[in-house]
Every structure is written in structure tokens, then in C-alpha cells.
Amino acid sequence: MPYDVIIGLEIHAELKTKSKMFCSCNNDAQGKAPNTTVCPICLAHPGTLPVPNKQAIEWTILIGLALNCKIRELSKFDRKNYFYPDLPKGYQISQYDLPIAYDGFLEVDDKPILITRVHLEEDTGKLIHPAGKKHSLVDYNRAGTPLVELVTEPVIRDTATAKKFAQNYQQILRFLNIANADMEKGEMRCEANISVQEKGKWKYANGQISPVGKYKLNPKVELKNINSFKYMEKAIDYEIKRQIKAIKDGEKLIQETRGWNNDKGVTFSQRTKETSADYRYFPEPDIPPLKITQKWVDEIKAHMNELPEKKIKRFKEEYLFGDREAEILASDLALADYTEKVIMELRSWVTATGDSWERQQRKLAKAAGNWLINELFKHLKAGGRPISKLKITPENFAEFICLVYQDKVNSSAAQTILAQMFKKGGDPTDIMAELGLEQLDDQAALEKIIAEVILKNQKQVAEYRAGKTNVLQFLVGQVMAATRGKANPKVMIELLKNLLK
Ligand code: ZN
Ligand code: MN
């Protein structure tokens, strides 16, 4: 391709603080009636004054630290002026030239993606346009929710990297436990600035894309209102193709904001872009500048949660999980916490039996990893009950793994027990007893049943003895049926072969 793709991202994420950014209103409007979590401050009544939320400032510093940013000693808020019905003040309190965090990076596939800035602002309300009506409705519950905006340098060169960056950032926000960052719910919103330039005709230096020689840069398009990673990928891909085609066809591209129409699979023009001068930024006179001392930053840093990359590494070293297992189990905070609790339970079980954890750890971790990934992770991925509402406690999951590990149940019985646990919860040992699933490995009892099966299936036995060894599977099935699936397969097959001789 004779073209280079230049992508920069802007990502907004709502913080899940208890109260809003500048007032004491409840910041959780989930399931609440419109305009019920509001007050004169977030409705911008005359004479009210904003007071910044300390938690939101600390969490923005935390994000900055997690993204390897510098934290500014002196920061401030600014007014970004524009008129829109969902913005009660007629301006948004944001940050312009002195954002809290700046100059950071986040790695995607071991390559650092440079971050220009991370700043704190407030969210707007929501407009609702009822179908078939001539009026619109406005809900100010969201107005004043703390909103963190991250801006990257224009250093992303392909769609896959853009998507992974947004996904990694979402994961970090969740691991820090400061945002839900659910794109479908609008708690995280991604915008992509995209342009396409001829190879060798442009350069990137000091945060700027500039032309080489007499080349005229193609304008960039800002993609907005993308509410899932899947749409983000589709929209960016479409936009790259559209711009390249326009250049080839000699059409004029313009700087504009475009949205994504998922039904048609196309981007469409929404408006031509304002420049920052249109916003008439000026310092917010109602809030004094923020002094962020090194001591404060150090305190915040000391309490920072473990980040995904570090957790994956620790899962490999501490629990001896393989690469794939560690990546899956440590990639989600709730799943990682659950996994650690299961491992702790297994460890105390091993210690209680008088055995050494070091001796059993590798095998048990392998078994635990398999069950957690094949059953629990699969269940979550299929949209099953989330971990917070799961009926299986880590204690019971660990006990279940022990039952299997000790050969007390065979694999088909294990599946039955686990299915019951997913449905109703409960102690796996009790369920095993209740359903009569305890593995049958009593030699004498098994021999008696096998002898009956041999007697009843003389034709197949003769075939087996004549060398048609695949008949064995049939006979195994008969014994399993006779024991209602409870026979210990290892012991039973051994006995069966001996008796057939
Ligand atoms: Zn309020
Ligand atoms: Mn913003």
C-alpha cells in the first residue's frame, strides 16, 4: 500500500466515585428515574459554586501513574464553552493546558503507544429523542459525573493496535477498580482521529504530523460515538478504505466528524470540526489551581492495585500456570481473585493432609487451571451468571477439584456435579452422595458386574477374542451402563481386559 494510516485515540471514561465531580449528588444513576440525582450545582443554577471531588482527582493521578505519565505539580480546571441542551452550564469544566497527567505510554504487543495527556472533566446529561415525537427530553442524572479523558499521540498505524490499546486501557481501569468502563453503557467512549497520507511524504516530530517538501497533508476525520470494540474495528477499517478510495478517485477530503451506522456498515458525516478556538477556553475562576505534592502522589502510588501485566507474570511464577492459563485467568479482575481463592483453598487442603504444597502444586495447579478455564471461564464467556453472582464459592470449587484429583468421581460424574453446582450451589461432596455418584472402584463388585456383562454379550466377546479389539469399547459401554456411569474407568478397563483373556 503506498499510503500510511495515522490514528490517534481520545478515550473518555466515567469514574465510579460515590458522588459527582463538583457536588455531593449520587453518582450512580443506574435504574433511577430521570432528573432525580441532581441538585442546583449540577443543574448550574445561578450563584452555585463547584467543589472538586478529591477521590476523582486521586483516581486521575492513579490512571496517570498506571500509564507511566508525569504528574503535574500545578494543575487547573478550565471552562470549555459550547452550547448544547445536555450541558446545563453552557460550558464544561475541563482541563486545557495543564492536565493532571501527561507524557506517558501504554504498551500494545510490547510496543509503547505514546500518551499525550490524561485530564479530568465532567460528563454531560443525556438527550432522549422519543420515536415519532416532535420534542426531545433531557436527563441530567449523568451531568457532572467525573469523566477522565485520555489522548494518545498520532502514533497508531493500524486498526488492530487501536482496538488493543482501548481494550488494554479498559482492563487497567477495571483492575484499578475505579471505573466499570462498559462501552455498551457509555461508561467508556472511544473516538479515533484518522488520516491517510502518502508514504514518505510526511513526518512525525514533537507530537505533530507535518508534510515533507511541498506535500499537502490530507485532513483527518474524527470518528465518534462508537459503543463497542467490534464497531470500533469496523468503523476504523471502513474509514481507512473510504479515505484511500477518495484520494485515488481525486475527491476532496474534508476535516469533519463522522459517526458509524452499523446497519449500513458505513461512516457518515455529522459535522465539520470545531477548532479549539471555537471553545473559548479560559481558566475556571470558581476553582483554585490544584497543588499536587510528591508526597500525595507517592501515597496514591503505594496503594495502587496490581496491574494486569504484573498479575499474569505472578500467576506464572507463584502458581506455576502456563502462559495461556495465566493470561486467561489473570486477565479479568474477578476471575483472577476467584482463581487465587481457589488456589489458597487447595493449598490449605494439601497442607492439612500432611503433604507438601511444593510437591503437589504443579499437578494441582494444572488441574485447577483446566477446570477454571474449561468450565468457569467458558461459562462466563457464554454470558452465564457473573462471578459476583455465581453460586459456586471458591471453597466449593476447590473441593470439587479435590474430588476429581483424588479419583473419587469419574469425569462424567464430575460434569454432573458441576452442572448441579452452577445451578444451585452447594457442597460437591454432598451432591456426590445425594446423586450416588461416588466412583465405584471396589474390585470384587466390579468383577461381578463385568462377569455378567460378558455372559450377556457372548457374540461380542467371541469377536473380541478373535482379534476384533475395537469391540472393547462396546463392552466398556455396557459395564458403564450397568454401573450407571460410576465405574472407575481405569480400574474397570483393566479388570475387563483380564477377564476377557
Ligand atoms: Zn448535583
Ligand atoms: Mn472531553
Side-chain angles (χ1 to χ4, degrees):
M1 191 171 75
Y3 299 102
D4 285 320
V5 173
I6 299 172
I7 303 173
L9 294 176
E10 284 173 27
I11 307 178
H12 286 87
E14 291 178 341
L15 296 178
K16 56 176 184 183
T17 48
K18 279 208 177 82
S19 57
K20 289 189 183 178
M21 187 61 227
F22 299 113
C23 60
S24 56
C25 282
N26 189 345
N27 188 36
D28 180 13
Q30 188 95 49
K32 299 197 173 65
N35 300 307
T36 54
T37 58
V38 292
C39 74
I41 297 171
C42 54
L43 289 177
H45 287 196
T48 56
L49 285 172
V51 177
N53 183 327
K54 187 179 176 193
Q55 179 83 91
I57 293 168
E58 288 187 341
W59 284 357
T60 308
I61 295 171
L62 194 61
I63 294 172
L65 292 171
L67 299 176
N68 312 291
C69 291
K70 293 172 188 150
I71 307 297
R72 209 176 286 279
E73 273 174 67
L74 191 72
S75 184
K76 70 173 167 69
F77 287 103
D78 299 276
R79 286 189 184 179
K80 181 181 181 180
N81 298 277
Y82 66 98
F83 177 76
Y84 206 66
D86 64 9
L87 189 69
K89 294 188 191 79
Y91 59 84
Q92 178 191 35
I93 300 181
S94 179
Q95 296 195 282
Y96 185 53
D97 54 339
L98 299 176
I100 289 175
Y102 64 104
D103 270 4
F105 66 89
L106 171 60
E107 283 190 2
V108 172
D109 296 333
D110 298 324
K111 268 184 271 161
I113 301 297
L114 303 180
I115 291 163
T116 316
R117 56 188 285 148
V118 177
H119 74 246
L120 183 55
E121 56 190 33
E122 56 179 335
D123 209 346
T124 61
K126 262 188 222 172
L127 278 183
I128 298 149
H129 310 285
K133 296 274 166 59
K134 282 188 177 159
H135 63 266
S136 291
L137 299 165
V138 64
D139 177 7
Y140 287 119
N141 281 351
R142 197 180 71 175
T145 284
L147 194 64
V148 170
E149 179 174 340
L150 172 154
V151 181
T152 74
E153 291 287 294
V155 292
I156 298 169
R157 296 283 167 264
D158 59 86
T159 310
T161 306
K163 184 181 167 194
K164 275 190 203 159
F165 179 95
Q167 284 174 323
N168 289 359
Y169 180 49
Q170 179 191 55
Q171 197 186 30
I172 286 173
L173 292 173
R174 289 176 174 176
F175 270 59
L176 293 175
N177 201 18
I178 58 176
N180 293 325
D182 191 331
M183 282 181 79
E184 275 84 356
K185 288 186 186 153
E187 293 161 340
M188 176 167 145
R189 312 194 280 273
C190 296
E191 288 155 36
N193 289 302
I194 306 165
S195 76
V196 168
Q197 310 296 346
E198 281 176 42
K199 262 196 198 311
K201 300 281 182 67
W202 63 279
K203 59 181 194 293
Y204 166 72
N206 302 325
Q208 287 293 323
I209 302 284
S210 52
V212 169
K214 285 186 177 151
Y215 179 71
K216 203 170 164 295
L217 287 176
N218 291 315
K220 64 177 180 189
V221 159
E222 185 177 345
L223 268 182
K224 268 199 155 158
N225 303 322
I226 312 169
N227 62 0
S228 78
F229 291 120
K230 203 173 80 194
Y231 294 167
M232 179 179 180
E233 192 173 23
K234 285 185 179 176
I236 296 176
D237 272 342
Y238 177 87
E239 194 53 30
I240 293 168
K241 284 194 195 117
R242 185 189 71 87
Q243 290 183 22
I244 290 174
K245 186 172 183 302
I247 295 167
K248 281 184 175 164
D249 294 351
E251 277 168 35
K252 195 173 175 316
L253 286 164
I254 52 165
Q255 182 165 335
E256 61 182 341
T257 299
R258 295 176 75 89
W260 171 246
N261 181 325
N262 192 53
D263 294 334
K264 293 187 181 148
V266 299
T267 64
F268 62 95
S269 182
Q270 287 182 314
R271 58 187 157 93
T272 50
K273 174 89 180 129
E274 297 92 347
T275 63
S276 71
D278 292 337
Y279 291 125
R280 293 167 292 121
Y281 277 102
F282 64 84
E284 167 58 60
D286 289 338
I287 303 172
L290 293 169
K291 272 192 207 136
I292 303 173
T293 62
Q294 190 56 45
K295 187 170 164 267
W296 193 20
V297 174
D298 289 344
E299 263 164 40
I300 293 166
K301 196 174 196 168
H303 293 103
M304 178 153 64
N305 281 353
E306 189 176 37
L307 293 174
E309 217 179 300
K310 223 171 158 194
K311 200 181 281 284
I312 291 170
K313 197 162 161 250
R314 186 168 61 79
F315 269 40
K316 287 192 234 177
E317 289 169 1
E318 219 174 296
Y319 305 136
L320 310 176
F321 283 131
D323 287 355
R324 180 179 163 269
E325 290 165 320
E327 251 156 59
I328 292 176
L329 296 172
S331 64
D332 174 275
L333 190 57
L335 183 60
D337 286 348
Y338 193 93
T339 299
E340 293 207 73
K341 282 185 190 144
V342 169
I343 299 285
M344 288 308 138
E345 288 293 326
L346 289 173
R347 178 187 218 144
S348 36
W349 172 74
V350 168
T351 319
T353 62
D355 209 332
S356 97
W357 173 241
E358 281 66 34
R359 232 166 57 81
Q360 297 288 337
Q361 187 182 13
R362 192 169 291 276
K363 273 197 284 178
L364 257 176
K366 184 105 201 106
N370 282 342
W371 283 104
L372 287 164
I373 289 170
N374 292 334
E375 298 302 330
L376 185 57
F377 178 68
K378 213 174 68 191
H379 161 90
L380 295 170
K381 242 188 134 188
R385 213 183 279 273
I387 286 189
S388 58
K389 297 206 172 85
L390 198 69
K391 295 199 172 166
I392 311 177
T393 62
E395 296 74 36
N396 283 334
F397 206 101
E399 187 174 327
F400 166 78
I401 291 166
C402 289
L403 288 181
V404 181
Y405 188 69
Q406 296 171 286
D407 260 340
K408 285 199 177 164
V409 291
N410 63 32
S411 61
S412 83
Q415 293 292 351
T416 309
I417 293 171
L418 197 59
Q420 177 89 344
M421 289 168 77
F422 269 117
K423 230 191 277 169
K424 294 184 185 162
D427 182 310
T429 311
D430 293 347
I431 297 173
M432 177 180 76
E434 236 169 72
L435 302 179
L437 290 171
E438 190 147 9
Q439 184 145 274
L440 183 59
D441 44 18
D442 178 77
Q443 197 146 332
L446 277 173
E447 270 177 348
K448 197 167 155 252
I449 296 166
I450 292 170
E452 279 165 23
V453 167
I454 288 178
L455 214 64
K456 271 192 212 154
N457 298 281
Q458 285 299 316
K459 186 172 150 268
Q460 286 81 359
V461 170
E463 281 172 11
Y464 177 83
R465 285 178 175 150
K468 221 177 144 193
T469 49
N470 57 355
V471 178
L472 186 70
Q473 238 7 72
F474 169 82
L475 294 168
V476 166
Q478 296 300 304
V479 180
M480 271 298 179
T483 59
R484 289 187 295 125
K486 283 165 25 181
N488 178 330
K490 257 186 266 164
V491 178
M492 180 266 278
I493 292 172
E494 214 39 48
L495 288 172
L496 178 61
K497 279 186 183 164
N498 279 338
L499 288 173
L500 283 169
K501 275 185 204 157

